[in-house]
Amino acid sequence: MLPSEIVKQVRRIQLHTGREVADVFAGAYVSVFKGRGVEFDEVRPYVPGDDVRTIDWNVTARVGTPYVKRYIEERQLTVLLLVDMSASQDFGSAHRSKREAAAELSALLAFSAIHNDDKIGLLLFHDQVDEYIPPRNGQKHALRVVREVLARGREDERRERGLRRGRKLASLPRGAVRHFLKLIERTGVRGRRSTDIGHALEFCRRVLPRRAVLFLISDFLDEGYLDVLRSANRKHDVVAVRITDEREQRFERTGLVTLEDAESGVQRLVDTESDEFRAAVEAHARKRADALHRTLRSAGIDTITIDATASVVDPLLAFFRMREKRIRR
């Protein structure tokens, strides 16, 4: 049973994103993604006026009379959300974390998809695949997608709190420590895990036999995934959604601060009063963002950047409009 806090969040997101889909996204989504191809339906006897290029020569040779292939417009899309659940997604300097921003984005995409009778699926991943929900349509299914993104984040937080309690027990007698380790094994509490985008994309290659639209939602704190990403984009339509937070780009003057790497747990004491330190942080953030943008562009991947402290709607709508203009050219 889901905690009441998760239920409230799902309802809030459903109300907010439902209005956005009805008022803003429905038309933009259709113009970008609907009716983009055709699929084979059947063969039928040739009649005068048919395009000779559609003749099925294998059937014609076997039957002895001309047959043509009949195609229908492929109206229903398959959309899969690949959502990064690594520890770095828990960071948030304002009213929501990067994970919560990812959940709101997932809701917008899920409700846009079901509004147009498309199938929506979900893949949650860290360094391994945590959960896969095969694409289906229907509002209940879309709500499940949103619930899983939020609920899995809470589960990881509980595991991390359990691990921290374990560190505090290190000074206790060995018997107590052994008891705690057994408890960890039974309850599934484990250490933090990093991001492996390549593994998630390889999983998609195995489970999605037909072309789909893949929204890869992550902060992209990973390396070595470019070749797999290029391969995935040749088969599917991959859209990279980078979730960030403005506090990751700059620091306020707050004196001595202990920073902790969310995925490795490594801590470092820094002086945020130092102009040199703040300038180095901002320069590194810009360099990393520019390098990621160039990398994705070289792979032919469209990119959306969403700041967890700002609107999710505006950058997504700008992306829809950009792709619509490109299609019309």
Side-chain angles (χ1 to χ4, degrees):
M1 186 173 181
L2 289 174
S4 59
E5 183 181 353
I6 296 294
V7 174
K8 290 178 181 177
Q9 279 188 284
V10 171
R11 288 175 179 170
R12 177 185 60 79
I13 289 176
Q14 182 186 12
L15 288 173
H16 175 67
T17 57
R19 288 194 297 267
E20 297 291 354
V21 168
D23 297 340
V24 180
F25 281 97
Y29 176 91
V30 171
S31 63
V32 171
F33 292 117
K34 298 299 285 187
R36 296 292 304 280
V38 294
E39 62 179 353
F40 173 75
D41 183 35
E42 61 180 0
V43 293
R44 61 167 176 78
Y46 173 86
V47 295
D50 284 338
D51 189 340
V52 294
R53 291 175 297 182
T54 64
I55 292 178
D56 188 325
W57 295 106
N58 290 330
V59 176
T60 298
R62 189 165 60 248
V63 177
T65 56
Y67 271 74
V68 295
K69 295 178 180 179
R70 180 176 177 269
Y71 295 88
I72 59 174
E73 187 178 13
E74 188 178 7
R75 299 297 297 173
Q76 188 179 68
L77 292 175
T78 296
V79 180
L80 183 65
L81 309 178
L82 292 78
V83 184
D84 181 358
M85 290 282 109
S86 59
S88 60
Q89 293 292 93
D90 291 326
F91 180 79
S93 63
H95 62 284
R96 65 182 172 194
S97 65
K98 293 192 291 184
R99 190 191 309 280
E100 289 168 332
E104 187 170 332
L105 172 68
S106 299
L108 278 170
L109 294 171
F111 292 136
S112 294
I114 64 164
H115 186 82
N116 292 282
D117 198 32
D118 290 335
K119 295 180 179 180
I120 185 75
L122 176 67
L123 176 68
L124 302 178
F125 69 95
H126 286 82
D127 53 349
Q128 297 290 328
V129 172
D130 283 355
E131 183 168 359
Y132 173 61
I133 300 177
R136 292 178 56 190
N137 49 19
Q139 186 171 16
K140 288 184 179 179
H141 185 72
L143 286 171
R144 181 190 176 194
V145 167
V146 180
R147 285 197 305 268
E148 288 298 326
V149 175
L150 289 171
R152 183 53 61 98
R154 298 298 181 187
E155 178 183 337
D156 288 343
E157 288 174 9
R158 288 196 300 270
R159 286 174 174 167
E160 177 60 23
R161 286 198 297 269
L163 190 63
R164 288 173 180 171
R165 285 195 296 269
R167 295 192 188 106
K168 292 179 181 178
L169 289 176
S171 60
L172 295 179
R174 291 183 179 179
V177 173
R178 284 197 300 269
H179 176 74
F180 179 77
L181 293 176
K182 290 180 180 178
L183 181 63
I184 288 178
E185 185 177 352
R186 288 200 304 270
T187 58
V189 177
R190 59 183 182 273
R192 308 176 195 192
R193 293 179 293 170
S194 57
T195 309
D196 192 337
I197 293 173
H199 183 82
L201 291 170
E202 280 289 348
F203 182 87
C204 291
R205 183 183 61 81
R206 296 194 300 269
V207 300
L208 294 175
R210 299 181 59 189
R211 183 175 176 83
V213 180
L214 308 183
F215 284 92
L216 176 57
I217 305 171
S218 174
D219 51 15
F220 290 89
L221 296 177
D222 189 18
E223 296 179 355
Y225 57 85
L226 184 58
D227 288 343
V228 183
L229 187 61
R230 284 198 180 105
S231 177
N233 194 48
R234 284 193 290 268
K235 179 179 179 181
H236 304 289
D237 183 358
V238 180
V239 180
V241 185
R242 177 175 174 250
I243 306 290
T244 185
D245 186 290
E246 66 172 358
R247 191 57 63 86
E248 293 177 324
Q249 324 299 322
R250 60 182 180 82
F251 275 86
E252 301 290 343
R253 294 177 180 271
T254 54
L256 292 175
V257 174
T258 299
L259 301 180
E260 181 176 310
D261 188 306
E263 298 190 357
S264 69
V266 175
Q267 295 184 346
R268 178 185 175 189
L269 183 66
V270 300
D271 182 9
T272 59
E273 297 289 340
S274 167
D275 293 335
E276 182 180 357
F277 168 76
R278 294 200 316 280
V281 168
E282 293 176 10
H284 176 75
R286 286 195 301 270
K287 182 178 179 181
R288 179 180 173 276
D290 291 344
L292 178 63
H293 181 72
R294 288 194 302 270
T295 296
L296 294 174
R297 186 172 57 186
S298 69
I301 308 293
D302 283 334
T303 308
I304 308 171
T305 299
I306 290 179
D307 189 333
T309 65
S311 169
V312 171
V313 173
D314 293 342
L316 187 57
L317 188 58
F319 162 74
F320 283 160
R321 289 171 176 166
M322 178 273 294
R323 288 198 69 159
E324 184 179 6
K325 290 180 181 178
R326 191 169 67 196
I327 292 170
R328 289 178 177 177
R329 289 176 184 171

